[in-house]
Amino acid sequence: MGQVTVVSVIDGRTARRNRNRDAVLDAMIDLTSEIGEEPAIEAVAERAGVSYRSVYRYFDDRTELLLAAIGRLMGDVWAIFDVEQLGEGSFDDRLERFITVRIGAYRRLAPLSRLAMRRSLSEPLVTVQFDTVRSFLRDQLATQFASELSSLGEPEQVVALRAIDTMFQFEAMEFLARFDELGDDDIADVLRRHVRKHLDAA
């Protein structure tokens, strides 16, 4: 019985630690979205219902917390970017599904992505995370429009993929949403025209 009790206590501590860690991540995500900038650790701790010191028991530093928050928001294997039936269906259907997913992902990730972009200038780990995501997204793009891209000559195929990929980058979406102050429908129209222009020859 004693051993069972000890195991139960350990399991309980682990579960509580996991709950608190998740609460810190959720607080980081929510506060960043609300105030549009990186929140103070004190504010994160207060929102999560844990102590200031507890935050640094779960995360070594602010960079690790930021990366973990982005990872939590994106989900396993970047589920936030998942496109149903990737590469399947008519061109029009694939285009609309792709645009809808990417705009939705931008809206959800924008506050944290702005922080990550600034951190990438001085934090190699953030740069690595960005590069990993960008590689994943370019591969996804190539798969979604493989039929059209494959019908282009090799030089045109490479240029078309890069041009379309550039327009779906966070920085491009940010420009359309914040500088041009476009809503989702107008952003979708710009992206739609852009993709069609580069795949028109296909």
Side-chain angles (χ1 to χ4, degrees):
M1 290 295 292
Q3 183 177 0
V4 173
T5 301
V6 171
V7 171
S8 298
V9 170
I10 292 174
D11 288 344
R13 288 176 179 172
T14 300
R16 183 169 60 253
R17 176 185 174 85
N18 290 339
R19 284 196 303 271
N20 289 344
R21 186 179 187 278
D22 288 345
V24 170
L25 292 176
D26 288 338
M28 177 70 173
I29 293 168
D30 292 343
L31 285 171
T32 302
S33 298
E34 291 170 14
I35 66 178
E37 59 186 32
E38 188 169 5
I41 295 298
E42 292 86 350
V44 173
E46 182 179 355
R47 176 68 66 91
V50 302
S51 68
Y52 178 89
R53 293 180 62 185
S54 292
V55 174
Y56 287 110
R57 282 203 294 268
Y58 308 136
F59 304 97
D60 290 339
D61 51 38
R62 297 176 70 95
T63 297
E64 184 179 340
L65 172 58
L66 175 61
L67 291 176
I70 293 173
R72 179 171 176 79
L73 190 57
M74 295 171 81
D76 293 337
V77 197
W78 302 294
I80 194 173
F81 291 110
D82 280 353
V83 177
E84 291 185 4
Q85 299 176 309
L86 186 67
E88 299 179 11
S90 69
F91 172 72
D92 288 342
D93 287 342
R94 282 181 283 123
L95 178 58
E96 294 308 314
R97 281 187 276 120
F98 193 80
I99 289 174
T100 297
V101 167
R102 289 297 183 88
I103 292 178
Y106 163 74
R107 291 298 187 188
R108 289 187 63 191
L109 291 171
L112 281 172
S113 294
R114 291 180 194 119
L115 294 184
M117 287 293 294
R118 292 197 292 269
R119 284 295 191 87
S120 67
L121 299 175
S122 58
E123 298 286 354
L125 283 176
V126 180
T127 301
V128 170
Q129 179 85 342
F130 259 111
D131 290 346
T132 301
V133 173
R134 282 175 170 149
S135 294
F136 170 82
L137 295 180
R138 176 170 285 190
D139 290 343
Q140 184 192 57
L141 172 63
T143 301
Q144 183 74 342
F145 301 109
S147 177
E148 291 74 25
L149 289 168
S150 63
S151 68
L152 300 173
E154 185 172 345
E156 291 81 6
Q157 182 180 142
V158 172
V159 171
L161 177 60
R162 288 173 176 167
I164 296 171
D165 188 34
T166 297
M167 207 52 200
F168 281 94
Q169 291 296 318
F170 171 78
E171 296 90 335
M173 302 278 253
E174 185 84 330
F175 180 85
L176 294 174
R178 303 192 81 187
F179 181 80
D180 283 337
E181 299 182 341
L182 299 184
D184 289 356
D185 289 343
D186 290 328
I187 292 176
D189 188 44
V190 171
L191 296 174
R192 192 178 296 115
R193 289 169 182 261
H194 185 76
V195 174
R196 289 185 181 280
K197 180 69 175 178
H198 285 284
L199 296 182
D200 184 58

